[in-house]
Amino acid sequence: MTSLSSEDVTTEIQSLARTASFEMGAKDLSGLEKARENIDPGTMVSITWMPDDTHEMRITAAKAVRAAGFEPVPHYAARRIGNTEEIRETTKRLAGEAGVTKLFFIAGDVDEISGEFASSLDLLTKLPLADYGIKSVGFGGHPEGNPKIADALLASEMDAKITTATELGLDPFVVTQFSFKAEPQIDWLKSFRARGHTAPVRLGLAGPCSIRTLLRYAAICGVGTSAKAMFSHGATVARLLTDAGPDPILRTLAEERTAHEYGPIGLHFFPFGGFGKTSRWVLPVAKGTVTLDKKGDGFSAEL
C-alpha cells in the first residue's frame, strides 16, 4: 500500500489529469464543441480511423480540432489503406490545412491487407513523413496483450517501431489500450522502461459510460482479463462503470507514483460515452477539489 499522504495522492491525481489527452471520431464534431469548455488549449486530441470515414472527413475533423485550439493527431490504419497516393495527399493536406505534426499508427486489426502497408512499421518506413512536416508518430501498447499476437512478438515489434522512428528523426510516443485495472498498465510500463525506452507513454483509460457500452468496447478491443475481474468487485465496479469514471484506476496510478517511477507518462481518455461527457468528468479532477474515498477504492471531485 502507498506511503504517500492523502494530500500527495490528490496532487498526483490532479497532475495526471491536467495533461490528459482525448480521442474522438471524425463525425463527433458536436462533442468537440462541448469539450472546448472543459479542456485546455493545446490538448492532444486523437482522431480515430473508422472504416466508413473518408479522408475528406478526417481532414475536416483535424481542421476542426485545430480551430478549437487543440492539437490534432489523426490515426492511420495500415492494413486499411488501399491507395498509397491518396494517403500521401491526405498527409500533405493534414499538415498544410490543419497544421498536423503528429500521427498515430495502428495495424488496422483486419486479416486482409488492402494495399502495400501490412503494419505500422511498413507505414513508418514507406511513407515519407518528414517530407510532409510530420515530427512525431505514436504507436499502440497492449497491457493485456493481443489475442492474435504473442506477447514476445508484441514487445519486439514495439522495440522495432520505437527504434526505427528515432532513426528517422521522429519523436515516438505510445498510447496504451484501456484496462479496467491499473496493474496491467503498470506492469506493461515497467517492461517497456526495462527494455530501455524513454519515449512518452499515455496510459489509456475508459471515460464514464454505461456498463453495456464499456463491455461492448472491451470485447472489440480485446480487453479480456481486467473485464473479467470486474465481476469480482461488486459495487465498486458498478460505481466505476455507471456513476463516475475510472477513479479507482487513476487513484492506484497516483498512489504508485507511476509518473515519477516510470515517466514520462500521461493519461489518454477513450470517451466511449461521448467526448463532451468525458471532458466534463476530467475538468473537476484536474482543476477542482479531489476527495479520496475512505474505503480506498476511488475519489470524488468537484469545482
Side-chain angles (χ1 to χ4, degrees):
M1 184 59 65
T2 179
S3 60
L4 296 182
S5 68
S6 295
E7 183 178 354
D8 287 338
V9 173
T10 58
T11 298
E12 291 286 322
I13 289 170
Q14 290 181 309
S15 179
L16 286 168
R18 286 191 188 108
T19 59
S21 57
F22 299 82
E23 197 150 315
M24 64 169 278
K27 299 175 182 177
D28 193 16
L29 299 184
S30 62
L32 172 65
E33 189 62 30
K34 294 175 183 177
R36 291 182 67 175
E37 304 173 2
N38 304 319
I39 57 180
D40 291 334
T43 294
M44 192 171 84
V45 177
S46 295
I47 303 166
T48 58
W49 179 289
M50 301 300 291
D52 59 343
D53 291 346
T54 65
H55 292 315
E56 196 64 41
M57 290 168 63
R58 297 180 182 109
I59 293 167
T60 297
K63 290 165 66 175
V65 170
R66 177 64 72 190
F70 306 132
E71 181 75 18
V73 185
H75 288 201
Y76 279 9
R79 295 186 175 190
R80 296 181 183 272
I81 297 173
N83 189 314
T84 302
E85 289 306 315
E86 194 171 274
I87 199 63
R88 291 190 180 197
E89 179 62 22
T90 298
T91 307
K92 179 180 178 180
R93 289 186 60 193
L94 284 169
E97 298 177 27
V100 168
T101 61
K102 298 180 180 179
L103 294 172
F104 187 80
F105 289 174
I106 59 174
D109 199 28
V110 289
D111 294 328
E112 186 174 343
I113 300 170
S114 299
E116 68 172 280
F117 306 115
S119 66
S120 298
L121 192 58
D122 266 355
L123 269 176
L124 191 60
T125 55
K126 295 179 180 179
L127 197 62
L129 298 175
D131 290 356
Y132 308 110
I134 303 302
K135 299 179 180 179
S136 182
V137 62
F139 309 105
H142 298 272
E144 295 189 42
N146 184 312
K148 296 182 180 181
I149 306 174
D151 289 347
L153 181 57
L154 278 175
S156 65
E157 288 182 345
M158 177 62 75
D159 294 346
K161 287 182 284 192
I162 295 292
T163 299
T164 302
T166 303
E167 291 174 346
L168 291 171
L170 300 167
D171 294 325
F173 66 94
V174 177
V175 177
T176 68
Q177 186 56 271
F178 73 96
S179 297
F180 293 105
K181 295 180 69 178
E183 288 77 12
Q185 300 273 16
I186 296 172
D187 289 343
W188 184 94
L189 190 55
K190 287 180 180 178
S191 174
F192 183 73
R193 295 298 185 217
R195 300 200 306 275
H197 299 304
T198 59
V201 174
R202 291 188 172 273
L203 302 176
L205 297 178
C209 62
S210 69
I211 293 175
R212 177 180 295 180
T213 299
L214 270 177
L215 290 179
R216 177 164 60 87
Y217 278 105
I220 293 172
C221 299
V223 180
T225 303
S226 63
K228 293 178 182 177
M230 288 192 301
F231 296 101
S232 66
H233 287 76
T236 298
V237 174
R239 183 177 60 79
L240 166 67
L241 299 181
T242 57
D243 298 330
D247 47 298
I249 302 173
L250 180 47
R251 177 169 175 173
T252 300
L253 294 174
E255 290 174 339
E256 295 293 327
R257 299 186 82 248
T258 310
H260 299 274
E261 297 294 331
Y262 310 108
I265 74 161
L267 302 178
H268 181 79
F269 283 92
F270 294 85
F272 301 132
F275 193 3
K277 182 177 181 178
T278 297
S279 69
R280 287 194 302 273
W281 184 87
V282 174
L283 177 63
V285 179
K287 299 181 178 180
T289 299
V290 173
T291 303
L292 302 181
D293 292 349
K294 292 181 180 179
K295 292 182 179 180
D297 57 5
F299 60 83
S300 59
E302 60 182 17
L303 288 173

